């Protein structure tokens, strides 16, 4: 059994919330599906791109998901839905000059009997949280992540780097928008946190771990994480989805 909750907030600086998220609990195929997108590109473009991505991704997935799918098949289905979401954004951008260049990140989770399949494009993240600790499942497609991998900066320096918002992959601007897929085994009592960089850049991994493990339910945990983000200035939109295996 799965329990899941989401939250999104404009933050303390931005005038518009260009993040979007959605949750489909126990779909007809038996899977729970969660997706978080962080839009970019123009006053209206980012918000539209994230909404198109969320809607298209879920619609396309629901057409193909079946209860019998194994994790590898779920990963392939998710990748296909991401490609169609990318195409949908490009179609709208091509029809309206004001939406030219709009795009969005995407991170998603599809549950199966023993865990979840994670997909990401850009720098929105997935974390696996349990009593044993917190592990980042995804790898950012960003300039600073490349610098960390080369050894030019540390992970902590990346959190404060002036170019931390420059991503190297996104839905919309990229023709193919290649995504990464991960299979994340999960046991009862464990959590999966999907979030935009508005949370990542204001709340540390250890704070995420402590809040999730010591909160009175998922809603309380998400409200607490948002409070910490705001205490740290919340310069960007903040969105998170928290899933727990019961």
């Amino acid at each position: 059994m799965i329990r899941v909750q989401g939250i999104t907030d404009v933050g303390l600086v931005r005038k518009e919330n260009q993040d979007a998220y959605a949750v489909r609990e126990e779909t007809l195929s038996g899977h729970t599906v969660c997706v978080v997108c962080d839009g970019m590109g123009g006053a209206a473009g980012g918000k539209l791109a994230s909404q198109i991505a969320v809607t298209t991704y879920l619609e396309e997935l629901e057409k193909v998901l079946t209860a019998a799918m194994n994790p590898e098949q779920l990963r392939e289905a998710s990748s296909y839905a991401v490609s169609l979401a990318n195409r949908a954004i490009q179609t709208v951008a091509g029809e309206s000059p004001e939406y030219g260049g709009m795009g969005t990140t995407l991170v998603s989770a599809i549950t199966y009997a023993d865990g979840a399949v994670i997909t990401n494009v850009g720098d929105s993240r997935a974390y696996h949280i349990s009593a044993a600790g917190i592990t980042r499942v995804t790898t950012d497609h960003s300039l600073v992540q490349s610098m960390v991998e080369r050894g030019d900066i540390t992970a902590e320096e990346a959190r404060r780097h002036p170019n931390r918002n420059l991503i190297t992959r996104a839905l919309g601007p990229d023709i193919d928008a290649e995504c990464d897929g991960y299979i994340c085994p999960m046991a009862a009592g464990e959590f999966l946190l999907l979030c935009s960089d508005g949370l990542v850049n204001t709340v540390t991994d250890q704070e995420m771990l402590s809040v999730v493990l010591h909160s009175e339910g998922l809603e309380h945990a998400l409200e607490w994480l948002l409070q910490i983000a705001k205490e740290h200035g919340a310069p960007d939109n903040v969105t998170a989805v928290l899933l727990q295996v019961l």
Side-chain angles (χ1 to χ4, degrees):
M1 186 176 173
I2 300 294
R3 181 181 295 149
V4 62
Q5 190 84 28
I7 195 169
T8 188
D9 192 274
V10 70
L12 299 179
V13 176
R14 299 291 176 89
K15 295 180 179 180
E16 180 180 59
N17 191 347
Q18 297 194 347
D19 287 358
Y21 82 92
V23 172
R24 295 289 184 271
E25 295 186 63
E26 299 293 338
T27 62
L28 293 177
S29 61
H31 306 283
T32 290
V33 182
C34 313
V35 58
V36 170
C37 292
D38 179 356
M40 61 197 180
K47 182 176 182 178
L48 180 60
S50 64
Q51 291 172 342
I52 291 172
V54 165
T55 301
T56 305
Y57 178 79
L58 290 175
E59 287 178 349
E60 297 301 333
L61 259 189
E62 289 172 354
K63 293 177 183 177
V64 299
L65 287 184
T66 67
M69 281 182 164
N70 62 38
E72 188 56 45
Q73 290 170 326
L74 292 174
R75 184 159 60 176
E76 291 176 3
S78 182
S79 178
Y80 180 64
V82 166
S83 69
L84 294 178
N86 186 49
R87 190 181 307 167
I89 294 170
Q90 291 172 344
T91 297
V92 174
E95 293 171 348
S96 305
E98 67 268 31
Y99 297 139
M102 71 176 179
T104 183
T105 68
L106 180 145
V107 63
S108 67
I110 308 171
T111 64
Y112 62 94
D114 301 311
V117 169
I118 313 298
T119 305
N120 82 300
V121 180
D123 62 356
S124 292
R125 294 181 180 178
Y127 290 89
H128 177 230
I129 298 173
S130 71
I134 181 169
T135 303
R136 181 167 28 135
V137 180
T138 54
T139 298
D140 294 348
H141 304 133
S142 67
L143 177 64
V144 293
Q145 180 64 38
S146 299
M147 295 169 70
V148 171
E149 291 172 356
R150 290 196 306 265
D152 296 340
I153 60 174
T154 66
E156 183 56 34
E157 287 171 335
R159 285 174 52 81
R160 302 185 300 271
H161 198 280
N163 293 327
R164 64 183 178 275
N165 294 325
L166 296 180
I167 60 176
T168 54
R169 292 190 212 171
L171 300 185
D174 296 352
I175 295 175
D176 295 324
E178 181 182 353
C179 60
D180 290 339
Y182 306 86
I183 296 173
C184 179
M186 296 179 69
E190 296 182 353
F191 300 85
L192 194 64
L193 176 66
L194 308 183
C195 56
S196 63
D197 67 340
L199 185 74
V200 170
N201 291 332
T202 51
V203 182
T204 67
D205 290 7
Q206 288 305 307
E207 285 173 326
M208 292 180 194
L209 174 65
S210 179
V211 166
V212 170
L213 293 183
H214 297 101
S215 292
E216 300 174 357
L218 303 186
E219 185 175 3
H220 178 242
L222 291 171
E223 290 174 349
W224 192 355
L225 289 171
L226 178 59
Q227 178 184 335
I228 295 172
K230 288 186 173 181
E231 288 172 353
H232 294 167
D236 200 356
N237 309 147
V238 180
T239 302
V241 171
L242 185 61
L243 177 151
Q244 182 183 22
V245 178
L246 300 178

